Amino acid sequence: MGVKEMLNLARVPSILMLGVIYVAYVLIGGVIFWKLEGDLGGKDLSKLLLNKQRLLMTYSCLNQEGLEEVAQVVRDASKTGLSLKGNQTADGFWKFTSSAVFAATVVTTIGYGNMSPSSTAGQIFCVFFALFGIPLNVVVLNRVGKYMLALERNVSDFLEGKSGRKRCTRFFVHLFCFICGTVLFFIMPMLVFQQQEGWTYSQAIYYCFITLSTIGFGDFVADSNPDKDYPDWYSVLMASWIFFGLAWLALLINHSIDILERLNSLLKKGCCGEKTLEESESADNNNPDTQMEDDDEIKKPPVTE
């Protein structure tokens, strides 16, 4: 099978078009969040810096009242991403790169909770941005997952033609893809987070899974420590890792669901007979999760429009 046929099977043009729409949507949302929240964040930063200087000059030995005021400053600083160490200023959370990453966490439903819009306009926009962005994110991730699955199958079919062993070849291709995905979306990010964030390896692996599974507790959030000076490429790398990692993990979960459904069918066949197996297969055909693999089984190149 040639390269052109492989690309036709994977429907690259529609994927690219959806990808451009997706990236443009997230970036536009990031710009709007940046404009709606950035000015307000700048005012908060200036006010917090003045309050910090006043507290340091007034309360040489803090009493209960002073401690409460310091605690209030700390709480306000944590909401805006301001560092209280030293006298340097900071951009806060609502700079463009952080706003774009925030927009990505909204449409992917990760929702760390470490930053959120505080202005009325920002909150209203967030509702409508998520309303249309979440379905778009699901469609794009599903299409990218199918594209990855099509490439995997093309490689598997090619190797099957060379070796003549179908089951053994498919097993090793799946295993190889699983190992590559684990290295690309867990091991390498773990090393980057350990270096940039100062986390332990276990904390970094924990953060990777909590993020890619869209659980998003918010106890560990990358690119959000106001005391660290992150490189410019860090936010872009994070957004790319989140997007492709979500597609890979969703594909892996679909594979797991398919394996469990097949095991369930085999158990029903052994225990309840052939009739129950037919009913189970009929139910599986009506299940959209188990249909993904069958729908993508394209045996002939599509007709050129």
Side-chain angles (χ1 to χ4, degrees):
M1 183 178 294
V3 176
K4 184 177 180 180
E5 293 177 347
M6 292 175 63
L7 295 178
N8 286 335
L9 287 176
R11 303 174 184 175
V12 171
S14 60
I15 292 176
L16 290 178
M17 183 174 64
L18 279 173
V20 170
I21 294 174
Y22 182 87
V23 172
Y25 187 85
V26 171
L27 290 180
I28 291 172
V31 170
I32 295 177
F33 280 122
W34 179 33
K35 294 299 181 182
L36 292 177
E37 298 291 330
D39 293 337
L40 182 62
K43 295 177 182 178
D44 289 341
L45 291 175
S46 300
K47 183 178 179 181
L48 286 171
L49 286 173
L50 292 175
N51 289 338
K52 175 192 170 184
Q53 295 297 328
R54 181 178 60 83
L55 287 172
L56 292 177
M57 294 175 61
T58 303
Y59 301 102
S60 58
C61 183
L62 290 175
N63 54 19
Q64 182 62 32
E65 180 183 0
L67 182 61
E68 292 176 358
E69 291 194 28
V70 170
Q72 184 63 46
V73 171
V74 172
R75 284 195 296 267
D76 293 341
S78 64
K79 292 180 181 180
T80 56
L82 172 67
S83 174
L84 295 179
K85 295 182 179 180
N87 295 320
Q88 71 274 12
T89 58
D91 294 331
F93 283 140
W94 295 107
K95 52 187 178 181
F96 170 69
T97 53
S98 299
S99 300
V101 172
F102 170 77
T105 60
V106 169
V107 297
T108 55
T109 69
I110 295 176
Y112 291 120
N114 65 313
M115 58 185 295
S116 58
S118 56
S119 65
T120 302
Q123 292 170 350
I124 294 175
F125 173 74
C126 185
V127 171
F128 289 98
F129 180 74
L131 183 64
F132 295 100
I134 293 175
L136 175 62
N137 177 75
V138 172
V139 171
V140 173
L141 288 180
N142 184 48
R143 185 62 61 87
V144 172
K146 289 181 178 180
Y147 175 67
M148 296 167 65
L149 182 62
L151 291 179
E152 179 183 336
R153 285 178 175 174
N154 288 332
V155 173
S156 180
D157 292 339
F158 174 78
L159 294 178
E160 285 175 13
K162 296 292 184 180
S163 64
R165 298 181 177 180
K166 182 176 180 180
R167 290 187 177 181
C168 184
T169 302
R170 285 188 178 273
F171 171 77
F172 281 106
V173 169
H174 285 311
L175 180 62
F176 177 76
C177 293
F178 171 76
I179 294 175
C180 289
T182 302
V183 172
L184 188 60
F185 298 115
F186 281 90
I187 304 301
M188 292 180 62
M190 176 190 69
L191 299 176
V192 174
F193 292 140
Q194 193 276 333
Q195 182 180 9
Q196 295 293 330
E197 304 290 342
W199 297 339
T200 64
Y201 291 120
S202 60
Q203 290 172 340
I205 283 289
Y206 166 78
Y207 168 75
C208 289
F209 180 79
I210 293 301
T211 296
L212 296 184
S213 60
T214 70
I215 297 174
F217 289 129
D219 48 353
F220 291 93
V221 182
D223 195 24
S224 63
N225 190 341
D227 299 324
K228 291 183 178 292
D229 186 17
Y230 296 102
D232 295 333
W233 52 265
Y234 192 52
S235 296
V236 178
L237 183 65
M238 267 199 59
S240 302
W241 166 70
I242 288 175
F243 174 73
F244 290 103
L246 284 173
W248 175 79
L249 191 60
L251 182 62
L252 184 63
I253 291 174
N254 282 331
H255 271 304
S256 302
I257 293 174
D258 182 66
I259 292 173
L260 292 176
E261 290 290 346
R262 291 177 186 272
L263 290 175
N264 184 46
S265 298
L266 291 175
L267 291 175
K268 286 185 177 181
K269 180 181 178 181
C271 298
C272 303
E274 195 70 29
K275 182 177 180 181
T276 306
L277 174 63
E278 294 176 357
E279 293 176 356
S280 175
E281 290 176 348
S282 175
D284 290 341
N285 291 332
N286 294 327
N287 189 341
D289 291 333
T290 58
Q291 276 186 333
M292 187 190 74
E293 189 168 331
D294 296 332
D295 292 341
D296 287 327
E297 199 69 51
I298 304 172
K299 297 182 179 179
K300 295 182 181 180
V303 180
T304 305
E305 295 183 359

